[in-house]
Amino acid sequence: MSKAELSIIDEVESAIRMGSAEKGLETARRVTDLFLSSAGSFDDEQIALFDDVLERLIRTIELRAIADIGARVALAEISAQLAPIAQAPPSVIRRLANNDEIRIAGPVLQESARLDDGELVRIASSKSEPHLLAVAGRWWLKEIVTDALLARRYPSVSRRLAANPGARVSGNGFAIIVGQAEGDPELAVNVGVRVDLPSELRRQLLRSATDAVRTRLLSRAPPHLFEEIQSAITAVTVGVEREMSAVRDFEGAKRAIANLKAAGQLNEATLLGFATQRRYEETVAALAALSGSTVEVIRPLMQSLRDDGLLVPCKAAQLRWETTAAVLESRYATGAMKSADLARAQGHFARMTPENARRTLRFWQVRAQ
């Protein structure tokens, strides 16, 4: 154990004995800073040490936080700092996630990899709507978690899950969302363009949808769903039920991209050509290869109505904005993105760094396995 670690332990013991809120806050910030400075190099024993001392400090701060806004702000800061750290102290993360104050719980609920499915289910089953919204915003969620979230029947949570391409939803979960979507046009559009929505539920959704919602669905449909939705609308309009296929040949596209890569012909210009021609499978496979990712990670990002997720592999591949914009627009069978949406996406893209994008992409790949 290093001298710095021993010194921190002594300082924690002193802060707890003194019972001073100011001393406790100051020490908690120092312990957090010390952990963050070398988080990637600590072994399990050292992480457990930080877990113990920081949780004890947070326990004392929580008592003050009920009436002390300064303590609540401090806990929220610690939560935001630890949320993206893969090696964050697990007990501390769980304690922060279960805090009733969403400003404290929110960052770790939405981002921390330390929260397992069991903990997320428990929180989804017992905490407030804002807590559920934070969980629903996590990029990768298994069906056991989304089932627990949807069981609470909050429309706002259903909207966030429907718009989250990394949230896996069971058949029962989709049935809940489709039932809520009957009186919710925004939800109807978000769930209607999901590639994993069962065909029978898509037809159910379209049967009860207004003409305005059907038109919006067609205008927002990505290429791989456009024909299915159009056929479904025709079928429900004339009262005819028929089978519709949404099968896409990604295996063929992956082989073609692998051949281009082997021949030294896979580059940004190749991807730009695929995106401009709206060749969906080739665009997905080429972006996966250039960003060092997989089709399984890129495909849900392409199907999402959100733009921010797809910017990550584009930045990781160090694409120019012209190519990135073409990839964004290739999600739609016809038309173009609104200029305001493109401008907003360009701003996010400019602020993103390749290093952070690659780190995020690696995290998504682990979570998607």
Side-chain angles (χ1 to χ4, degrees):
M1 189 177 295
S2 71
K3 291 182 179 179
E5 290 165 358
L6 289 170
S7 174
I8 283 292
I9 293 175
D10 291 340
E11 187 173 336
V12 169
E13 297 292 352
S14 173
I16 293 174
R17 282 197 308 270
M18 290 173 61
S20 165
E22 291 74 15
K23 180 65 175 176
L25 291 174
E26 178 187 347
T27 305
R29 288 191 172 102
R30 279 175 41 77
V31 173
T32 302
D33 289 342
L34 178 61
F35 177 81
L36 293 172
S37 68
S38 303
S41 63
F42 290 137
D43 58 27
D44 291 343
E45 183 179 352
Q46 290 170 312
I47 292 174
L49 169 65
F50 278 100
D51 204 10
D52 177 62
V53 298
L54 194 52
E55 185 184 20
R56 292 173 64 196
L57 280 169
I58 288 176
R59 194 182 307 135
T60 62
I61 296 172
E62 283 175 337
L63 298 175
R64 304 286 305 182
I66 298 173
D68 185 350
I69 189 170
R72 294 197 295 274
V73 169
L75 289 176
E77 289 174 352
I78 292 173
S79 179
Q81 289 175 307
L82 294 178
I85 306 301
Q87 302 85 2
S91 297
V92 170
I93 292 295
R94 287 193 294 270
R95 190 171 197 93
L96 292 169
N98 281 278
N99 196 288
D100 289 335
E101 173 64 59
I102 188 58
R103 288 179 297 179
I104 297 170
V108 295
L109 286 178
Q110 184 160 338
E111 191 172 3
S112 179
R114 282 296 200 181
L115 295 173
D116 61 24
D117 294 332
E119 187 67 23
L120 292 174
V121 167
R122 198 189 69 76
I123 289 170
S125 303
S126 61
K127 288 296 184 178
S128 70
E129 181 178 358
H131 287 70
L132 271 63
L133 279 170
V135 175
R138 294 172 71 93
W139 272 110
W140 301 107
L141 290 170
K142 294 182 180 178
E143 292 180 358
I144 189 175
V145 180
T146 58
D147 279 347
L149 290 167
L150 291 167
R152 302 286 297 278
R153 296 298 202 279
Y154 287 117
S156 60
V157 174
S158 296
R159 290 190 207 104
R160 181 158 293 182
L161 286 176
N164 184 349
R168 298 175 183 174
V169 182
S170 68
N172 288 336
F174 272 127
I176 291 173
I177 295 175
V178 169
Q180 292 175 317
E182 184 172 346
D184 189 332
E186 177 189 350
L187 181 56
V189 172
N190 284 342
V191 72
V193 297
R194 286 191 62 121
V195 70
D196 51 347
L197 178 67
S199 293
E200 64 273 15
L201 287 175
R202 199 184 316 278
R203 292 195 290 272
Q204 177 184 328
L205 175 73
L206 290 168
R207 275 195 295 270
S208 61
T210 64
D211 288 340
V213 168
R214 293 174 181 175
T215 299
R216 284 185 61 197
L217 273 169
L218 281 176
S219 69
R220 297 302 304 271
H224 58 294
L225 278 182
F226 184 84
E227 291 184 5
E228 178 180 344
I229 292 175
Q230 189 172 51
S231 298
I233 290 174
T234 301
V236 300
T237 300
V238 299
V240 177
E241 295 290 346
R242 59 180 179 177
E243 290 299 319
M244 295 167 292
S245 174
V247 175
R248 309 293 292 190
D249 183 16
F250 283 102
E251 293 306 315
K254 285 193 283 189
R255 287 193 298 271
I257 296 304
N259 290 336
L260 286 173
K261 186 175 181 179
Q265 297 175 354
L266 178 62
N267 52 39
E268 182 172 352
T270 309
L271 173 58
L272 177 59
F274 289 143
T276 302
Q277 297 168 39
R278 307 205 180 198
R279 294 169 61 178
Y280 180 77
E281 294 93 336
E282 289 87 350
T283 300
V284 171
L287 180 57
L290 290 172
S291 64
S293 184
T294 64
V295 167
E296 289 69 31
V297 170
I298 302 300
R299 187 181 184 185
L301 301 178
M302 286 283 285
Q303 81 178 66
S304 174
L305 295 182
R306 293 167 53 173
D307 303 325
D308 51 350
L310 192 53
L311 297 177
V312 172
C314 290
K315 178 63 76 169
Q318 299 191 61
L319 303 181
R320 294 176 295 117
W321 171 247
E322 177 189 4
T323 306
T324 300
V327 170
L328 289 172
E329 294 200 324
S330 73
R331 296 173 299 167
Y332 307 106
T334 60
M337 290 177 62
K338 295 179 181 179
S339 58
D341 292 338
L342 269 176
R344 183 165 51 251
Q346 185 174 11
H348 291 162
F349 188 72
R351 290 190 294 272
M352 193 181 299
T353 66
E355 293 76 16
N356 285 339
R358 284 191 286 268
R359 184 160 48 248
T360 300
L361 200 56
R362 285 195 298 270
F363 173 68
W364 290 348
Q365 287 172 207
V366 172
R367 299 291 289 182
Q369 292 175 356

